[in-house]
Structure formats: C-alpha cells, structure tokens
C-alpha cells in the first residue's frame, strides 16, 4: 500500500494536482515519477531552495507563454517541490529538429523587457543548473553580459583557485572589447538560458521539448551557442528551421565563442579546471579574431 506523508507523492498531492498519489519511482538525482489515481504520471523535483523551484516554475510558464515552444505543463510549486507533466521519451529525428529551430526562433522573437529580465513573478536571484544567477536588467547587451554573466563567474573561479589571477586578465580584456566584437545590436530575446543538449527532450510524440530553463532576457545567439557547446542531434536542421523564421545576423557563427564564455565559466565554477581551461582558450581565440 502506498503511504508517504512527506515525500514526492505528498508534494504532488498538496494543492498541486488535486489527485491522490498511488505509486512513485525514483529517477536520477532530485527527480521522482509519481503515479496519480487518475492514471497520469507526473515528475516531482526537489530543489535546494524554494527560490530555485520558483525560478524554474516561472521560467517554464514564461517560455510556454510565447506560444511556440513545447515545455512540460507546470502543475505547481510548493516550497522546495516542483511538479510538472511527464514527457514520454522518444528518439531525435530531423523533422523534430527542424520544428525545434522554428519554435526556438519564435520564442526569441517573443522578446523580453530588457537584458537580464526575470520571468514575471520570478526571483532576481535565480539559478543556472546548481549555480546562482542574478537577473539584473541592463540596456546594452555587451556591458550587461560582461557585468552580470561573465565577470561574476570569473571572480568565483579566481576566488576558489580554479583560475589563476594572472590568467583572468585575458577574459577581462575580452569583456572590455565586447562592444566591438558582438555584431549588430539586437533586441532582448526571451531565452531558455541553459539550452544544452541535456535540456532538449526528444519526445515519443515526435516533437522536441525543452526542460530545466534558466530563463531570462538575453541575446538570442546565446541559446544557439549553448546548443553548439555540448552538441545537439541534427543541429544543422535546428539552425535551418531557425533561420526560416528569424535569420541570424552576418558573422554570427564567428561569435559563438563569445556566447559560450558564460556557460563555460559556470561549468568551471561547478566542475573545475577542465572547463576553466576551455574558457581561457575561448577568450584568447575571440581576441585574435
């Protein structure tokens, strides 16, 4: 007989689905599948803090509000717990990748009030993965990106010894030169914000779904650069679909490294020296262009 008064099943029941939990199956890390008495299966996630759960919930709502991208239904957030729909897994295919590119372009075109804007109702102090991420608004992307996306993680990496102070200078020089390197000015885009391949879920329904956002207003090339960073099945089709809806500015592929600097430094803070070396190499290459 299923009975758990203080676990994922109870979280799914508590004012979030209005149903009774009948079973639960642990998944990886903080995730649990919970079966409800109406036959549905939901995913229950326990976050490290209520603010982390709120950031993810409001991010998913904001992405869904664009009306283009597929994200799981959010049933609710209660303290540390977040309850969403379960997306049945399938396999990547070229048609789904093409549709994902078109949908991603539509998401970006939905826009944001400013660079650094949090989703409506979302916290200023949010997260990217397990790392803190502050949503502070700015008017000009190069300056905002340096101040609020690159330099905070560079300082953290220096403070914890992952990057030597003498090494940090190359990234600081790149930040100073960003206004000359970032291409034509763009309006703030509505970003997923943590769009690596692991957050693209290829569904059994033949469509691609996005999960685990670090949503904020940013530069649309950042989402695309993140897809490049860790690889994505049929990325050529994703890009083809994207450009059908929202053609990219000339030279965008030369700027991929600039946009990858942010996630690389986040990974350096979370996972260590290997990513720090990649960030340093990326900054040097960008300065040499």
């Amino acid at each position: 007989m299923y009975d758990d008064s203080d676990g994922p099943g109870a979280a799914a029941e508590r004012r979030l689905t209005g149903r009774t939990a009948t079973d639960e199956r642990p998944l990886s890390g903080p995730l649990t599948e919970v079966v409800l008495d109406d036959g549905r299966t939901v995913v229950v996630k326990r976050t490290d803090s209520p603010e982390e759960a709120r950031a993810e919930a409001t991010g998913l709502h904001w992405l869904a509000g664009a009306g283009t991208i597929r994200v799981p239904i959010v049933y609710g957030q209660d303290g540390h717990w977040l309850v969403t729909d379960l997306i049945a897994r399938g396999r990547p295919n070229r048609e789904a990748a093409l549709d994902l590119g078109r949908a991603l372009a539509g998401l970006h075109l939905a826009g944001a009030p400013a660079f650094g804007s949090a989703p409506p109702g979302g916290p200023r102090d949010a997260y990217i993965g397990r790392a803190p991420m502050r949503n502070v608004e700015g008017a000009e992307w190069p300056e905002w990106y340096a101040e609020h996306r690159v330099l905070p993680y560079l300082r953290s990496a220096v403070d914890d010894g992952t990057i030597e102070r003498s090494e940090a200078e190359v990234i600081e020089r790149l930040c100073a030169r960003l206004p000359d390197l970032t291409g034509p000015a763009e309006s703030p885009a509505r970003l997923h914000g943590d769009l690596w391949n692991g957050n693209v879920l290829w569904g059994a329904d033949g469509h691609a779904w996005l999960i685990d956002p670090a949503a904020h207003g940013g530069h649309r090339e950042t989402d695309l650069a993140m897809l490049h960073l860790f690889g994505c099945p049929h990325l050529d089709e994703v890009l083809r679909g994207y450009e059908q809806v929202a053609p990219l500015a000339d030279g965008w592929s030369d700027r991929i490294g600039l946009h990858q600097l942010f996630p690389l430094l986040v990974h350096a803070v979370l996972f260590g020296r290997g990513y720090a070396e990649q960030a340093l190499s990326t900054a040097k290459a960008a300065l040499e262009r």
Side-chain angles (χ1 to χ4, degrees):
M1 182 72 174
Y2 175 85
D3 182 18
D4 187 347
S5 59
D6 190 30
E13 293 176 339
R14 203 166 47 230
R15 75 176 176 81
L16 300 183
T17 66
R19 309 302 305 189
T20 299
T22 61
D23 193 14
E24 63 179 64
R25 296 185 289 270
L27 300 173
S28 61
L31 303 178
T32 302
E33 285 186 10
V34 174
V35 181
L36 304 176
D37 61 359
D38 61 359
R40 283 180 298 162
T41 301
V42 296
V43 174
V44 181
K45 180 176 184 178
R46 192 184 194 287
T47 62
D48 289 337
S49 71
E51 289 297 272
E52 184 180 344
R54 183 160 70 96
E56 185 169 341
T58 56
L60 287 168
H61 282 304
W62 196 41
L63 300 190
T68 66
I69 208 79
R70 288 176 169 83
V71 298
I73 295 168
V74 178
Y75 292 109
Q77 176 252 324
D78 187 6
H80 290 258
W81 300 100
L82 176 67
V83 180
T84 64
D85 205 15
L86 173 71
I87 306 301
R89 301 266 182 163
R91 295 178 63 83
N93 66 80
R94 299 190 74 83
E95 189 59 37
L98 187 67
D99 286 344
L100 172 60
R102 296 178 183 131
L104 186 61
L107 172 69
H108 291 165
L109 290 172
F115 298 111
S117 291
R124 178 186 177 107
D125 291 307
Y127 295 84
I128 177 166
R130 303 183 74 85
M133 183 187 79
R134 298 205 79 203
N135 286 318
V136 179
E137 294 190 352
E140 302 296 330
W141 185 80
E143 291 80 4
W144 170 84
Y145 181 66
E147 183 176 355
H148 300 294
R149 289 297 180 265
V150 175
L151 293 176
Y153 301 97
L154 177 62
R155 294 185 193 109
S156 293
V158 169
D159 288 345
D160 66 22
T162 304
I163 293 177
E164 298 293 331
R165 291 190 182 278
S166 59
E167 294 176 315
E169 187 266 343
V170 67
I171 295 176
E172 292 168 343
R173 278 197 293 121
L174 180 61
C175 285
R177 287 195 55 200
L178 278 175
D180 300 324
L181 299 174
T182 52
E186 297 246 356
S187 299
R190 189 173 307 192
L191 297 191
H192 176 281
D194 191 11
L195 196 57
W196 70 289
N197 180 50
N199 287 338
V200 179
L201 196 159
W202 302 92
D205 60 359
H207 297 291
W209 298 69
L210 301 188
I211 60 173
D212 295 345
H216 63 278
H219 196 300
R220 63 193 182 124
E221 291 176 9
T222 302
D223 268 352
L224 298 176
M226 224 179 242
L227 282 178
H228 278 81
L229 184 57
F230 298 109
C232 177
H234 308 301
L235 183 55
D236 57 337
E237 289 297 292
V238 175
L239 296 173
R240 187 163 73 90
Y242 190 100
E243 296 233 55
Q244 288 175 356
V245 174
L248 292 156
D250 289 347
W252 77 270
S253 60
D254 294 332
R255 297 187 289 272
I256 288 174
L258 297 176
H259 293 270
Q260 289 178 342
L261 199 55
F262 163 45
L264 285 171
L265 287 169
V266 171
H267 277 70
V269 169
L270 291 174
F271 305 116
R273 180 63 187 180
Y275 288 107
E277 290 174 353
Q278 194 173 348
L280 292 165
S281 296
T282 296
K284 290 174 185 174
L287 283 170
E288 291 169 359
R289 286 192 175 276

